[in-house]
Amino acid sequence: MMVKRGGALLLQSGRRPRVDGFALVVSVAGLSLLGWIVASGSVAKSGPDPAQFGLLVAFVVLGELLPIKVPRREEDEELTTSPTFSFALLISSGVAGAALALALAELCAYFFRRKSLGRSTFNIGQSTVALFAAAGVLSVLSEVPRGRSPFFETSDLPAILLAMIVFFLTSAVLTATWFARRHKVPVFDHLHQDLLFRAGVAGASLALAPVVVLTSEHSLPLIVLLLLPILALYKGGRQAALNEYQALHDDLTTLPNRVLLHDRIHQSILGMERDKTLVAVMLMDLDRFKEVNDTLGHHSGDLLLRQIGPRLRSILRESDTIARLGGDEFAILLPNVHDRAAAVQVADKIKRALDLPFEIQGLKLNIEASIGIAFAPDHGKDVESLIQRADIAMYVSKGSGSGYAIYAPEQDRHSATRLALVGQIRQAIDDQEISLYYQPKADLITGQVRAVEGLARWNHPERGLMTPDDFIPLTENTGLIEPLTFYLIEAAVRQGRLWRDAGLDLVISVNVSARSLLDHELPDHIGDILKKWNLPPKAIRLEITESTIMEDPVRALEVLDRLSQKGIGLALDDFGTGYSSLSYLKRLPVDELKIDKSFVMHMHEDENDAVIVRSTIDLGRNLGLEVVAEGVETKEHWDKLTELGCNMAQGYFLSRPIAPGEFMQWYRQREATLARADDLHAP
């Protein structure tokens, strides 16, 4: 079984397909070899057993007609068993029968599956060249094919193995070169990545070719039994491809995600100096997208987001990339741009494409977007700088209503400062300048502190103590949010271990970003940290928001379920401010609901806020969840929440966030105060 690129060439409307010289040479070479086979009369030398020959040819054709498509990289790929049976034909009948069988299979795929003529011709060319290369190895090192039974002997196995390797590598190199040229990526880098995938699936399936021949010699019907291991390879190869695809693509839109975008930007920058061109990175945000969710519901918002990719794909080049970064934010990568005007023309096309109404459940919606554009090398020669500067330009565009803007340093008087801070965050993590301050959460009945929330603080050497709002947003688009999140989680676990050793048993909560929550490795990573510091999972609680979950509910639920199965506590933060439904809430494996402070702080003056607070407490109690109220700043707040049956309170009335070195003293003093109060009320 070999892996082949599938799908027809995507052409912009009104453009002729560009003939690739490499593909043309390979196609002509393969067709010339096939012509030689026909002219030389080699077709008649198809082996001593016509029944065996016919059955193997049938399996070659059938494999090509019934491939398994898997989503991978820029386009779908196909897993097919055709090369396995064609290599079996090479061993038993010779190169003529094997090459013609594969050519016949490709022609059948062209007619019955409507494959593109150019792609089918290239497939015939590369497979024929690969078969002739393998046949050359066999002719030099062995007498295979022998033209009689047995078709090969034990002494022929080294030659057959080497022929397999030559066949595999020739096909892989030719196909990878064609693909890399088509998508304008470095051939070596693409081949290196692609061989890892191809070797596991194609290598294992090719190894079955000699078994197919031996089985056919013994009994033709037994070949059917070989379909079982072949189907197992199908399943394994497909699952491996799906796992890779899911790690690099957004689940909702199937567009490349941030990880794959970063890789493609990096590859484009590497090729930029060689081609003497520019690389354009665009960040695009949909204007007033939240109104769609709030008015029509989250499902309608998802339907809209799914239409963005196909709409833009139709006006971009094949080599361009559209990625979804999260929420309603997208990125467009334009490699090999000759000048800024070309990128501006693309931005104009994007605006016009989005001006056409989107139809959502019978309604026509008009959507506008704000686009920021940054160029390499003008605005940076690394991925982080380009994305950050495109982000700055996007916000300038949004503020001006111009539709799009090209980055310029003077656009944002804070841009230089912001970029400097981004560069300092990594060093701040290494130097442990960022730490957690702990805000207590107390039982409303007893007043005892049972938990704390860890809140990030950056002790900047020049700016002093900085709150999360000052630096956390800067990490969202630069790839630093994940290392920062894991750093803070380990800081919380380490502090929990120190407190336990001192006799203090508190649950520590830590906030988790959307990007971290969608990371399938998050549960295992936290498990390793807990094991390192010998802390039980229940001692840590992760706080997540409704909007974080709603970015990708399916994937988020998978990660949350795994965290819950490990015994790690989960809290739903800022409850009531998002747009999740109760159907999602009942499926979330959360232990705690946190009422947003915006409702708590005004519940005495605003009846609507009071109703929301009361309803959330009742909802949490009915679902068996602990309810924590944020923003408790007065005794009136405390007393009202106690009356309503809320479990815990957090806010300035209890304490501001406390530095870890001062927390133990504060806790001991509070415990002593509570003890004296109990003594005063004792009979």
Side-chain angles (χ1 to χ4, degrees):
M1 179 166 49
M2 294 289 284
V3 184
K4 295 169 56 180
R5 302 289 177 186
L9 289 170
L10 298 175
L11 302 175
Q12 295 187 35
S13 177
R15 291 188 179 181
R16 287 187 173 184
R18 183 175 59 86
V19 177
D20 179 65
F22 175 79
L24 183 61
V25 169
V26 173
S27 300
V28 170
L31 292 175
S32 299
L33 290 171
L34 288 175
W36 175 83
I37 289 172
V38 175
S40 64
S42 301
V43 183
K45 303 173 183 178
S46 58
D49 188 347
Q52 181 213 45
F53 179 78
L55 185 61
L56 292 180
V57 170
F59 274 115
V60 172
V61 174
L62 190 64
E64 199 65 39
L65 292 177
L66 298 174
I68 288 184
K69 287 189 175 183
V70 292
R72 189 169 178 262
R73 303 187 187 278
E74 285 83 353
E75 57 190 37
D76 285 353
E77 293 185 2
E78 297 175 349
L79 301 180
T80 169
T81 59
S82 298
T84 302
F85 291 101
S86 65
F87 197 86
L89 280 169
L90 175 65
I91 298 172
S92 61
S93 304
V95 69
L100 289 173
L102 267 180
L104 175 63
E106 277 293 341
L107 288 175
C108 290
Y110 169 71
F111 284 109
F112 294 106
R113 293 178 48 217
R114 299 185 182 278
K115 293 181 69 173
S116 74
L117 180 60
R119 188 66 182 97
S120 293
T121 304
F122 177 80
N123 281 343
I124 292 174
Q126 63 89 7
S127 59
T128 303
V129 171
L131 281 171
F132 266 82
V137 172
L138 291 175
S139 66
V140 171
L141 301 179
S142 72
E143 296 180 9
V144 176
R146 298 177 182 273
R148 54 180 169 76
S149 183
F151 295 109
F152 64 89
E153 299 176 354
T154 304
S155 59
D156 296 319
L157 289 178
I160 291 174
L161 177 60
L162 182 58
M164 282 183 192
I165 295 173
V166 169
F167 176 63
F168 165 73
L169 289 178
T170 303
S171 177
V173 169
L174 291 176
T175 304
T177 302
W178 169 83
F179 182 86
R181 288 169 60 88
R182 178 181 175 186
H183 291 279
K184 299 185 183 301
V185 296
V187 175
F188 179 80
D189 292 340
H190 173 72
L191 182 61
H192 174 71
Q193 297 172 4
D194 205 48
L195 278 178
L196 296 176
F197 173 71
R198 287 171 170 261
V201 181
S205 60
L206 272 178
L208 290 174
V211 181
V212 170
V213 175
L214 290 175
T215 303
S216 67
E217 285 187 79
H218 181 73
S219 174
L220 282 179
L222 287 180
I223 293 181
V224 177
L225 295 179
L226 292 176
L227 292 177
L228 295 177
I230 289 174
L231 288 174
L233 285 172
Y234 259 80
K235 183 177 180 181
R238 183 177 187 276
Q239 190 58 51
L242 284 173
N243 290 343
E244 181 196 38
Y245 181 86
Q246 290 170 355
L248 298 175
H249 290 78
D250 173 59
D251 288 342
L252 176 65
T253 63
T254 71
L255 294 173
N257 61 13
R258 189 185 301 271
V259 176
L260 185 52
L261 174 71
H262 279 222
D263 179 67
R264 290 187 181 171
I265 295 175
H266 177 68
Q267 296 298 332
S268 299
I269 292 172
L270 292 178
M272 173 183 66
E273 295 182 358
R274 179 190 67 239
D275 298 331
K276 305 299 181 184
T277 56
L278 301 176
V279 173
V281 175
M282 301 181 179
L283 256 61
M284 183 181 77
D285 183 82
L286 302 183
D287 299 338
R288 298 183 298 279
F289 175 74
K290 188 175 184 298
E291 296 177 11
V292 177
N293 281 322
D294 292 344
T295 306
L296 302 179
H298 186 74
H299 177 66
S300 295
D302 286 351
L303 293 177
L304 173 60
L305 293 174
R306 289 192 185 105
Q307 293 187 38
I308 298 296
R311 179 76 65 89
L312 299 189
R313 185 75 267 168
S314 65
I315 54 119
L316 295 175
R317 302 171 300 176
E318 270 189 77
S319 57
D320 300 335
T321 295
I322 312 165
R324 183 186 179 217
L325 303 184
D328 62 331
E329 189 173 20
F330 295 81
I332 299 97
L333 166 65
L334 308 178
N336 300 108
V337 178
H338 293 289
D339 52 41
R340 292 191 178 192
V344 170
Q345 288 177 356
V346 173
D348 279 325
K349 287 183 179 180
I350 292 173
K351 291 291 291 179
R352 290 198 299 270
L354 296 179
D355 283 342
L356 299 174
F358 289 84
E359 187 166 336
I360 307 294
Q361 296 181 323
L363 297 175
K364 290 188 176 181
L365 303 178
N366 291 311
I367 298 296
E368 296 180 349
S370 299
I371 302 172
I373 310 172
F375 293 94
D378 299 353
H379 302 141
K381 293 185 178 181
D382 61 272
V383 177
E384 288 76 15
S385 295
L386 287 174
I387 290 180
Q388 181 68 18
R389 285 162 177 165
D391 183 59
I392 292 171
M394 182 183 72
Y395 280 101
V396 170
S397 169
K398 186 178 288 289
S400 65
S402 59
Y404 58 83
I406 297 174
Y407 170 80
E410 62 272 14
Q411 287 175 339
D412 182 356
R413 61 188 179 89
H414 302 296
S415 61
T417 302
R418 292 171 64 190
L419 289 172
L421 286 174
V422 169
Q424 294 169 359
I425 289 174
R426 167 60 70 181
Q427 191 63 40
I429 295 174
D430 295 338
D431 295 343
Q432 297 187 357
E433 294 175 359
I434 301 176
S435 61
L436 289 175
Y437 277 45
Y438 297 94
Q439 187 169 38
K441 295 191 280 189
D443 188 300
L444 278 160
I445 301 298
T446 66
Q448 291 184 322
V449 174
R450 294 197 281 115
V452 295
E453 178 182 358
L455 300 169
R457 297 290 186 269
W458 183 1
N459 188 17
H460 194 279
E462 299 172 2
R463 295 169 169 270
L465 199 62
M466 298 174 64
T467 64
D469 291 341
D470 297 325
F471 63 91
I472 293 294
L474 301 179
T475 67
E476 294 287 350
N477 289 331
T478 59
L480 290 173
I481 186 63
E482 283 189 323
L484 178 59
T485 298
F486 290 138
Y487 167 81
L488 294 175
I489 289 174
E490 179 153 12
V493 172
R494 181 174 61 247
Q495 185 62 61
R497 179 72 269 162
L498 293 173
W499 282 341
R500 288 206 167 210
D501 292 342
L504 191 59
D505 186 4
L506 297 175
V507 175
I508 303 177
S509 297
V510 182
N511 291 281
V512 176
S513 69
R515 184 172 178 185
S516 298
L517 182 61
L518 299 179
D519 182 0
H520 286 296
E521 297 182 3
L522 178 67
D524 293 335
H525 195 110
I526 296 178
D528 292 341
I529 294 174
L530 290 167
K531 184 177 180 180
K532 173 183 176 181
W533 293 98
N534 191 28
L535 197 69
K538 65 178 182 180
I540 291 294
R541 184 163 290 181
L542 303 182
E543 295 196 2
I544 53 179
T545 63
E546 295 172 85
S547 57
T548 296
I549 297 170
M550 288 301 111
E551 279 206 12
D552 192 338
V554 174
R555 192 167 181 176
L557 283 171
E558 291 176 359
V559 176
L560 291 174
D561 284 336
R562 289 184 56 210
L563 288 166
S564 180
Q565 291 166 8
K566 287 182 175 289
I568 298 168
L570 300 169
L572 191 57
D573 198 9
D574 299 339
F575 186 76
T577 62
Y579 42 80
S580 64
S581 65
L582 294 181
S583 63
Y584 272 115
L585 179 60
K586 71 179 183 181
R587 293 168 56 193
L588 295 176
V590 296
D591 310 284
E592 176 184 304
L593 280 186
K594 297 191 73 175
I595 308 174
D596 187 68
K597 62 183 180 181
S598 62
F599 303 122
V600 174
M601 294 173 66
H602 301 292
M603 64 180 178
H604 285 89
E605 301 85 23
D606 191 321
E607 181 59 27
N608 290 331
D609 287 346
V611 170
I612 291 174
V613 171
R614 185 183 305 113
S615 300
T616 303
I617 293 171
D618 291 341
L619 176 64
R621 184 189 300 116
N622 292 332
L623 292 175
L625 304 177
E626 194 167 55
V627 182
V628 179
E630 298 178 300
V632 179
E633 297 192 350
T634 65
K635 189 174 186 304
E636 288 76 14
H637 291 154
W638 185 284
D639 293 341
K640 182 64 175 179
L641 291 165
T642 305
E643 175 190 331
L644 293 174
C646 188
N647 302 110
M648 298 180 71
Q650 175 183 350
Y652 285 0
F653 179 69
L654 182 64
S655 173
R656 293 175 177 270
I658 305 170
E662 303 169 5
F663 185 86
M664 185 65 77
Q665 180 181 357
W666 177 91
Y667 180 83
R668 299 299 186 200
Q669 289 177 347
R670 180 169 179 80
E671 288 292 294
T673 301
L674 290 175
R676 288 195 297 270
D678 288 341
D679 291 340
L680 291 174
H681 291 90

